[in-house]
Structures are given as structure tokens and as C-alpha cells.
Amino acid sequence: MAVDYAVIVVYLAGMLAMGWWGMRRAKSKSEFLVAGRRLGPAMYSGTIAAIVLGGASTIGGVGLGYQYGLSGAWMVFTIGLGLLALSVFFSARIARLKVYTVSEMLDLRYGGRAGIISGVVMWAYTLMLAVTSTIAYATIFDVLFDVNRTVAIVLGGAIVVAYSTLGGMWSITLTDMVQFVVKTIGLLLLLLPIAVVKAGGFSEMKAQLPTEYFDPLGIGGETIFTYVLIYTFGMLIGQDIWQRVFTARSDSTARWGGTVAGTYCLVYAIAGAVIGTAAKVMYPNLASADTAFATIVKDQLPMGVRGLVLAAALAAVMSTSSGALIACATVANNDIWSRLRGVVGRGESGGDEPHDEVRGNRAFILIMGLAVIVIAIALNDVVEALTVAYNLLVGGLLVPIIGGLLWRRGTAVGALSAVCVGGVAVIGLMWHYGILANQPIYYGLLASLAVYVVVSLATPPTDAAVLAEWRERLAGRGEPAPETPDQDLAHPSPAGA
């Protein structure tokens, strides 16, 4: 394993070096949080693909392939579909808004402050996303170094927190590009063909496994529909994804770069399912499907290659973890803490931004990172935690966000009501049906939609001046207004600030 260890150590050292380099670039709030909104097509495509394809997509995707065959690709496939939908229909408009968070978009659209409520919902989602990604380090480092779970989480989490805190989005962008290349080589170009060959080829796989393993819908229609609701729609509204859209330097970069990344995700989904199916042929009686990835890597790959593929898995986990971490810290600082204090920093039109904004956001990344590591050590059920996060995100925020982008009659009171009713409905239904049940997201989303439409139609339309500013910003003609003291979403201001 000495060669494998060397590959991993070099990779981790490179991540820290890029964090140090990114620190020298991040001199303003815009540079630190959204890489100065200057990423071109190549870097944008690589980084956005890196963040959506994390440990769940890699280790979990292979596990679903082991359990269900080719139809196990659907979870990651719906992530790719969501990224394609976001890129084609919404990304250009989102990038033109020149905001930092989803809540700021809601403020601009509805003429008031989204308040702490929407910020807390988004913060909970990004926090749990970062936690579940951090827990995945335990699986990888256990294979690498045979260390216990706590040490693995601290080791992996500390590296991500270090480079994210140092350089913010610039460091994360640079590391994500490396991680994207490593994942492509390790998973698609090495592990995929080796796994198929070791399993005897597709003909042998078909001979050894039941026919349902090669049924594209074998995982079940209801499961696929639930994946669409949670992951496809979740891609449309997550702060971690939007914050990457904000880094694009132009409309075309956001649209076409995201389309390339979404297409890459579809290929990645199929590759993971095929690898898992091959693992089922070689190891038909594994105790847990989630161990399929680690088992096939440890037993079937030659030294050096094994280290590179494990580095690819580590890259997948780190990219999602770092993206979720900076999103969590951004929301915590800009949407919650600043509003609790009644202080909001100046917007991008306010001239040169003070360096203490960078220090403040850097401090929040460090604080949130330490919290993520502690929670990851204490938490055992990763699937339930992530399900709660996605249910709250989609059930509470999908309708107000998409409604704001598509329906001009939507109002501030309608949006706030939808957030509250959708969030409470999801929590109550999870308590009644169980966290992993499908009903909470179905009924919670319907309740949010119904309340949004009814309350919006029953309340006065959004002020014409607010909508005019909104349209100007969507068209890329308006400038971000200087931020003003907090206002509640339910009390819109004529200025729309």
C-alpha cells in the first residue's frame, strides 16, 4: 500500500497548497464567496460537476448498482437532470441577479426580506449536506489507513475546513477542478473498465444476475418519482448549487457550462451503476451494498491505481463537503447572523468592500466547519439526516423560489406562508409516516403550492416598483442596491431593498 499512500498524501498536500494560493486571491467579499463572478466555461463546468457528484453519488451510486443493477443509476441520473434543467431554464437569470444567497433573491423578488425563516431552512439543508459528506471520509480512510471512524472524520474534515477557510470560493474552485479530473480518471477511465473486465464482461454479468438487474425501471416507478421530486427539484434551489452559478462570468457560461456538467452527471450515473452491477457478480453476498465500492477497489485494483481511485472517491466527497460548507457559512453569516444583529454589509455597488467582510466570512467557515466535524462524529444515520434536509428544502422553499421566477402574481405574504406551511407539513408528516417515507415530500409540496397560490391571490399584488427592479436585474441591466437594515418578507418596501 506504500504507493497508494504516497498518491493520497500528494493529493491531500496539493489541496492544502491550493487553499494557501486561494487565500492570496480572495481580497473582497465577492472574491471570497463567489470567486469574483469570473469563472469561464471550463472551470465552471468542472466545479459545478464536482460539487453535485459527492460521496452519495459515488459510493452510494455504486451501492445502488450493487442492489438494483442498472436502474440504480436513477438517483444520480435525477441529479444530472436537475442540473440540466437549472442550466437551460434558470441559470442565466440567476447569474444576472448578482446576489450571494437564495434568500437575497427572495428579498429582491418579493420586495422585502425573506427573514430568518428561509435562511434557517437553507442553513439546515447545507449543514446536513456537509455533515453527511464528512461522514463519508470514514469509509475511505478506513480502507486507506485502517483508522477508526472518529480519526477519519477529523482528518478529512480538517483538510476541507483548512483550505475552505483560507481561500473561500477561489480555493474551493481550484481544488474542485483537480477533484473533477481525478474523479474522471479514477472512476470513469480506470475503475469502470477494470470492474467490467474483472466481472467477465457484460455477457457474463447478464448470465450471472437476474434479468431485473438490467431493467432500466427495476428500482421502481415510485422510487424514481421520489428521486425526481427530491434531487431534480433540489438541484434547482439549493444554496450550494446557486452559489456556483453566481461564479459564472456570463450568461452563456452559466447556461452552456452547466449543460456540459449535467450531461457529465448522466454519464457518471450510468458508470456507477455498472460498477455496482459488476461488484454484485464478484461479491454476491456483501453484508451491505454501501461497501461494494470499497471492496472492489481494495481487492481488484493494482497498487498505484488503487490509490488513484481512492483519491477519486476522496475527491468526490471533498468537493461536495467544501461546497456545502461555504454555502452553510454564507447563509449563516449573511442571512441569519447579520439579520439577528440588524446589520447587513454593503452590496457590490457599495465601492471597495472592507476586508473585515472577508475575515467575517472566513470565521464563519471555520466555525461551521468545526460544528460539522462534531456533528458528523456524533451522528450515525446519514440517510435519515440527508432525507430530512432535502425534504425541508424542497417542501419549504421550492414553491416560493420557482414561483417567484415564473409567476409575477406571487406575493411576499404568499411566499412566507408557503415556506412556513410547507416546512411544518413536511416535519409533521415525517413524524407521522416516518422519516424515509415518500408521503412527507408529496403532501408537503402540495400544501406549499396550494397555500402559495391561494394566499398570493388573496393579497395585494407585489408593488410595481419592486417588480420593475426585479425585471431590470433579471435582464442584467440593474445594479445591486446597497443593502439596508432588515425588513420582514411579510412587510414589503416600495424600494424593494
Side-chain angles (χ1 to χ4, degrees), residues 45-54 176-177 179-180 183 315-316 319-320:
S45 297
T47 58
I48 202 165
I51 188 177
V52 300
L53 297 174
D176 277 358
M177 279 304 299
Q179 289 159 358
F180 172 75
K183 278 193 289 192
S319 58
T320 298

Side-chain angles (χ1 to χ4, degrees), residues 12-352:
L12 294 178
M15 296 300 99
L16 292 174
M18 289 182 184
W20 182 262
W21 186 90
M23 182 177 67
R24 302 175 63 184
R25 298 270 323 246
K27 301 300 184 182
S28 69
K29 179 181 179 182
S30 176
E31 295 281 351
F32 190 81
L33 294 182
V34 290
R37 308 188 195 273
R38 290 192 286 140
L39 296 191
M43 291 193 73
Y44 179 81
S45 297
T47 58
I48 202 165
I51 188 177
V52 300
L53 297 174
S57 300
T58 304
I59 299 171
V62 171
L64 287 172
Y66 182 89
Q67 189 173 359
Y68 297 104
L70 298 185
S71 66
W74 273 107
M75 183 188 77
V76 183
F77 204 83
T78 56
I79 291 174
L81 292 177
L83 187 53
L84 284 171
L86 175 70
S87 302
V88 173
F89 298 112
F90 301 112
S91 62
R93 285 185 284 176
I94 291 170
R96 287 194 292 263
L97 291 175
K98 303 296 185 186
V99 295
Y100 290 106
T101 67
V102 173
S103 288
E104 288 180 23
M105 168 266 170
L106 293 173
D107 299 342
L108 181 65
R109 165 60 182 83
Y110 294 109
R113 288 295 172 187
I116 295 177
I117 294 177
S118 65
V120 168
V121 173
M122 190 62 75
W123 174 79
Y125 157 72
T126 53
L127 179 69
M128 285 298 101
L129 186 61
V131 167
T132 53
S133 300
T134 302
I135 291 174
Y137 296 131
T139 302
I140 300 169
F141 279 105
D142 177 56
V143 175
L144 283 172
F145 306 118
D146 194 26
V147 297
N148 67 49
R149 180 178 182 274
T150 299
V151 173
I153 289 172
V154 171
L155 177 61
I159 293 170
V160 170
V161 171
Y163 73 69
S164 300
T165 302
L166 285 172
M169 187 59 81
W170 270 122
S171 294
I172 293 171
T173 296
L174 294 171
T175 55
D176 277 358
M177 279 304 299
V178 174
Q179 289 159 358
F180 172 75
V181 172
V182 171
K183 278 193 289 192
T184 301
I185 296 173
L187 272 295
L188 299 184
L189 302 183
L190 292 177
L191 183 58
L192 174 61
I194 289 174
V196 172
V197 170
K198 293 284 187 178
F202 284 104
S203 58
E204 183 66 19
M205 290 163 63
K206 287 183 177 180
Q208 294 288 333
L209 297 173
T211 56
E212 55 263 28
Y213 263 70
F214 302 92
D215 180 359
L217 303 179
I219 199 170
E222 184 178 355
T223 299
I224 295 170
F225 181 67
T226 303
Y227 284 160
V228 170
L229 284 183
I230 294 177
Y231 297 113
T232 300
F233 287 149
M235 288 296 105
L236 298 179
I237 60 174
Q239 170 68 25
D240 52 324
I241 310 302
W242 278 41
Q243 199 156 344
R244 295 310 174 95
V245 175
F246 300 151
T247 65
R249 72 183 180 196
S250 67
D251 296 356
S252 60
T253 296
R255 182 182 296 110
W256 296 111
T259 301
V260 171
T263 304
Y264 177 89
C265 292
L266 303 183
V267 175
Y268 199 90
I270 297 171
V274 171
I275 293 169
T277 304
K280 183 67 175 179
V281 174
M282 291 181 277
Y283 309 99
N285 299 311
L286 290 179
S288 170
D290 287 338
T291 63
F293 177 86
T295 302
I296 195 172
V297 170
K298 190 173 184 179
D299 293 351
Q300 299 297 329
L301 299 185
M303 67 177 183
V305 174
R306 179 172 51 214
L308 183 58
V309 172
L310 287 171
L314 197 58
V317 175
M318 282 186 162
S319 58
T320 298
S321 181
S322 59
L325 178 58
I326 192 171
C328 177
T330 302
V331 172
N333 188 18
N334 292 272
D335 292 338
I336 300 177
W337 177 244
S338 293
R339 298 179 185 207
L340 288 174
R341 293 174 56 210
V343 176
V344 181
R346 288 183 293 170
E348 288 186 74
S349 64
D352 293 333

Side-chain angles (χ1 to χ4, degrees), residues 474-489:
L474 277 179
R477 294 189 295 266
E479 289 295 328
E483 294 177 328
T484 57
D486 246 358
Q487 294 172 316
D488 194 273
L489 178 63

